Amino acid sequence: MSIISQHDQQLIKKEFDALLDNLQRVTTRNNKDKIRKAFNLAYEAHKGQKRRSGEPYILHPIAVARIVSEEMGLGTVSICASLLHDVVEDTEYDLEIIESNFGKSIASIINGLTKIPELFDHKSSLQAENFRKMLLTLSDDIRVILIKLADRLHNMRTLGSMPPHKILKISGETIYLYAPLAHRLGFYAIKTELEDLSLKYRHNKVYKQIEKQIQLNKAKRINEISKFSLPIIGKLNSSGLKYDISGRPKSIYSIWNKMQSKKISFEEVYDLLAIRIVFESEEGIPEKTQCWNIYSMITDIYLPKPDRLRDWVSKPKANGYEALHCTVMGPQGKWAEIQIRSERMDEIAEKGLAAHWKYKKNGTGEDSELEKWIKKIKELLEDSSSDAIEFLDDFKLNLFSSEILVFTPKGHIKSIPKNATVLDFAYEIHSEIGNKAIGAKVNRKLVPFSYKLRSSDQVEIITSDKSKPKQEWLNYVTTAKAKSNITKSLKSEISNRIERGKEILEKELNKHNVKPSSRVFKKLLPAYEVSSKDQLYSMIGSGIIKLNDLKKVLGKKSKSKLVRYWELSFGKQKSQVQEKTNNKFDFKHPFLLHENPDNPGAEYSLANCCNPIPGDNVIGYRDKSGSIIIHKSDCNEAVKLMSQHGDRIVSARWTTHKVLSYLARITLVGIDKIGMIRDITEVISKQLSVNIRTLNLEVHDEIFEAQVDIYVHNTADLNNLILNLSKIKGIDNVNRAEITTP
Ligand code: MN
């Protein structure tokens, strides 16, 4: 064991004292003692170890603990875990020692942190793989991720002493994985620092150049900002507001990023003025109102650019960010971006999580977006039935994809990951809404479950107590929450069905005084064409196998029952849908009076382009042979004839329409459900004097579209039928359609 030099000892003491002096959330002596104890153990464990820079290793855990405490605002457990975070991995101390000294929760955080490899392999695909593992440890405690983030931040701050190939790997991983993570968690300052550090190590030349240019432009910029701000300051002062106005610093990375993505020069990026106003909130007035008041004062002076207004006050960003952003036309026609924030919002923007906790303690009430997000993660993780690895794959997607905003029917805004479907949305509202969904409307139109939501869609979920998730739903969802809920429900549904089927079978067997022995199953399985007991139970439980013929099955070797089954369940429906051929057209009957005094008894026929039926407005067209063809008056063909051969048109109207049937077509759109065909055919056949000729049905993604050709006597019959059909539950739309001749 090597001896620690006097100099190093002083350095360590100084850093650890700074940690203790700046504790924000730790107040009790007991907790401070705990932190000292953690430090002492870490100190002993890392004794003699040095970082690459030559510093004693213990300075690293202390620095991580300070980030966790001072920059993230976490408490005792996290600080202790940070101090101990490399002990198990890098020293001879093991988890048992940690657990016996500090308890389960600290030990489980350390365990999580130890599982995350420090360095990623050179193959880029492994980055994602390892990141997934890192998220896996989230399941123990979200603090694992926060400490890992702090660990990374300190490593980035001290990256210079690493060998070059490691520098590139670590900074690459930082920009792809850790900076977005920090952003998502609302740690704006940490995110910005990670981005800048990463750029500094990956593109050092560019970084230095931008840094230099910022320096060169500094004086000019300050001048511009004060010129722009002066009138605003005057106005804000006269209103008695307490505030701070400043030019918003742009990070080197964000300038570089804009130069890259917009292909513009430094000057063009930097030219845009960016101002931030942070005000001291006045008690009794909602902060939202105060933001808009300031906005109004500014736009009294400068003209706003309407499409650049961003209201993160009414609806905070998913990571909790709140502010009002606008762009106005400054003097000399220069655009200026202005951010308006209260002090509270400003702190949230800079510190994220830490500030949220602080303000929650002060009793600001309502759950913040960030807490909702963390709650959401926890909900999923606590659901032990969801496959952790599968879930985390989805979770990673959620983490990096941006979100879109959609509306509920009542106008509430919900944020949902990009590419989410209406079914995802249903689960997003509540797992029960998802489980009971039978359909969805987007912008008041029925859509399939697979419909991908677009920003500002208005979404309504239609539910039914009888509905249950189906296997194919898994194809329609993208969010982890929806997937795990559907899987869970399917699993319990299957086991319920098996349970139910088992009960039914045993009861039925009992009636015949038969015990459910393997000998019996040898008869039952082939008879019902199933391969296992569970399958048999499940099919009995769901009512597919009816057991009406159980006695026969038990009594003798039976042939395949499958054929009989099909006959049984569909025989009845088939006869209902069958074509009725007893209603034939007979044009000879005098049901039409065409008001042509010259030719009262002329022959006529019905045009097959529009198939008019009694009740329709009609006109007649006299062809060369003198017979009259009856069209609907709004029929395209008739309109054409009227314009070309006006002299051959005769007016006509229906006189009697009691006896005959006419072919008409209606289309139905609705949500597919069991028994839908039965419901439709029942309504149609119940109505006197209406008969079905054909019924075509198409189902896709739970939406069915049907086309029914029917014989009706007149439009009154038809309208009546349409009315009755539209009353069927699940039917969304019933319309009369044109019959196009083949
Ligand atoms: Mn570390």
Side-chain angles (χ1 to χ4, degrees), residues 231-258:
I232 298 179
I233 290 171
K235 195 119 184 172
L236 294 179
N237 282 349
S238 66
S239 77
L241 215 69
K242 283 187 186 139
Y243 67 94
D244 186 41
I245 186 167
S246 58
R248 181 159 52 89
K250 277 193 171 124
S251 78
I252 295 177
Y253 176 82
S254 76
I255 292 170
W256 177 77
N257 198 28
K258 261 210 178 113

Side-chain angles (χ1 to χ4, degrees), residues 20-63:
L20 289 179
D21 289 344
N22 290 298
L23 293 174
Q24 295 181 338
R25 285 167 50 82
V26 181
T27 44
T28 65
R29 234 189 97 187
N30 194 9
N31 281 340
K32 279 190 186 168
D33 286 347
K34 221 172 174 182
I35 292 170
R36 268 198 200 94
K37 194 172 154 194
F39 167 73
N40 287 335
L41 194 148
Y43 182 84
E44 278 305 316
H46 291 297
K47 214 172 197 170
Q49 291 180 346
K50 292 208 182 285
R51 300 201 89 205
R52 270 191 164 268
S53 60
E55 286 177 335
Y57 195 89
I58 186 72
L59 288 177
H60 167 66
I62 295 174

Side-chain angles (χ1 to χ4, degrees), residues 136 139-140 376-392 480-481 483-485 487-489 491:
L136 199 67
S139 54
D140 301 327
K376 236 195 272 181
I377 300 173
K378 285 196 110 182
E379 259 172 39
L380 273 163
L381 290 165
E382 277 158 12
D383 182 357
S384 57
S385 76
S386 72
D387 179 356
I389 294 181
E390 211 174 277
F391 155 68
L392 282 163
K481 186 175 183 180
K483 274 188 190 164
S484 81
N485 272 307
T487 314
K488 196 161 107 187
S489 164
K491 272 185 196 156

Side-chain angles (χ1 to χ4, degrees), residues 232-477:
I232 298 179
I233 290 171
K235 195 119 184 172
L236 294 179
N237 282 349
S238 66
S239 77
L241 215 69
K242 283 187 186 139
Y243 67 94
D244 186 41
I245 186 167
S246 58
R248 181 159 52 89
K250 277 193 171 124
S251 78
I252 295 177
Y253 176 82
S254 76
I255 292 170
W256 177 77
N257 198 28
K258 261 210 178 113
M259 285 166 65
Q260 295 286 304
S261 63
K262 299 206 166 140
K263 303 214 180 325
I264 51 178
S265 67
F266 173 84
E267 284 73 23
E268 283 170 279
V269 178
Y270 209 63
D271 207 31
L272 193 72
L273 285 176
I275 309 288
R276 181 176 296 155
I277 296 170
V278 178
F279 63 91
E280 208 174 287
S281 190
E282 211 174 310
E283 221 154 305
I285 307 170
E287 284 183 342
K288 183 175 167 176
T289 312
Q290 299 182 56
C291 285
W292 286 103
N293 278 341
I294 294 172
Y295 171 80
S296 156
M297 286 185 241
I298 294 167
T299 50
D300 280 347
I301 305 165
Y302 298 122
L303 206 63
K305 196 178 184 186
D307 60 329
R308 295 290 304 162
L309 187 64
R310 297 287 179 272
D311 178 6
W312 304 113
V313 176
S314 306
K315 169 73 191 168
K317 277 193 194 178
N319 65 12
Y321 179 81
E322 291 173 67
L324 186 61
H325 291 190
C326 60
T327 299
V328 299
M329 173 79 77
Q332 291 124 35
K334 254 189 184 176
W335 292 115
E337 271 176 19
I338 303 179
Q339 295 180 346
I340 304 166
R341 301 171 177 170
S342 70
E343 281 173 340
R344 180 189 63 86
M345 296 173 186
D346 189 55
E347 205 171 340
I348 287 172
E350 298 300 319
K351 281 200 181 163
L353 204 55
H356 274 283
W357 279 337
K358 177 178 163 190
Y359 285 102
K360 203 191 172 191
K361 223 168 84 187
N362 290 354
T364 319
E366 232 179 296
D367 275 14
S368 71
E369 287 297 305
L370 181 64
E371 274 153 5
K372 275 187 221 154
W373 180 71
I374 290 175
K375 223 169 92 189
K376 236 195 272 181
I377 300 173
K378 285 196 110 182
E379 259 172 39
L380 273 163
L381 290 165
E382 277 158 12
D383 182 357
S384 57
S385 76
S386 72
D387 179 356
I389 294 181
E390 211 174 277
F391 155 68
L392 282 163
D393 277 341
D394 301 328
F395 175 72
K396 193 176 70 207
L397 289 177
N398 288 353
L399 192 69
F400 289 110
S401 66
S402 50
E403 294 189 325
I404 58 166
L405 297 179
V406 294
F407 294 90
T408 68
K410 283 182 182 155
H412 296 277
I413 302 175
K414 296 257 168 210
S415 60
I416 186 150
K418 215 167 153 185
N419 288 326
T421 62
V422 284
L423 196 53
D424 284 316
F425 177 83
Y427 279 100
E428 205 57 37
I429 302 176
H430 197 280
S431 57
E432 273 311 287
I433 304 260
N435 284 338
K436 301 267 172 252
I438 52 166
K441 285 184 178 183
V442 169
N443 305 325
R444 281 177 290 283
K445 243 187 93 194
L446 204 62
V447 298
F449 277 152
S450 57
Y451 177 91
K452 271 194 184 142
L453 289 173
R454 275 177 296 215
S455 211
S456 75
D457 273 346
Q458 186 175 46
V459 196
E460 181 187 349
I461 303 296
I462 305 158
T463 58
S464 155
D465 277 347
K466 284 179 198 134
S467 177
K468 281 174 204 145
K470 300 182 184 71
Q471 183 70 35
E472 65 261 33
W473 284 17
L474 289 170
N475 303 330
Y476 308 148
V477 296

Side-chain angles (χ1 to χ4, degrees), residues 57 60 85-86 118 151 155:
Y57 195 89
H60 167 66
H85 83 270
D86 279 333
E118 187 62 42
D151 184 30
N155 285 338

Side-chain angles (χ1 to χ4, degrees), residues 2 60 95 99 116 127 149 184 211 213 225 249 271 300 318 386 388 480 514 552 566 607 627 643:
S2 62
H60 167 66
L95 268 181
E99 189 172 335
I116 307 169
Q127 291 188 345
L149 200 56
R184 196 66 176 75
E211 200 177 29
Q213 275 170 302
I225 287 171
D271 207 31
D300 280 347
S386 72
V514 178
K552 247 202 258 167
W566 285 107
S627 70
S643 64

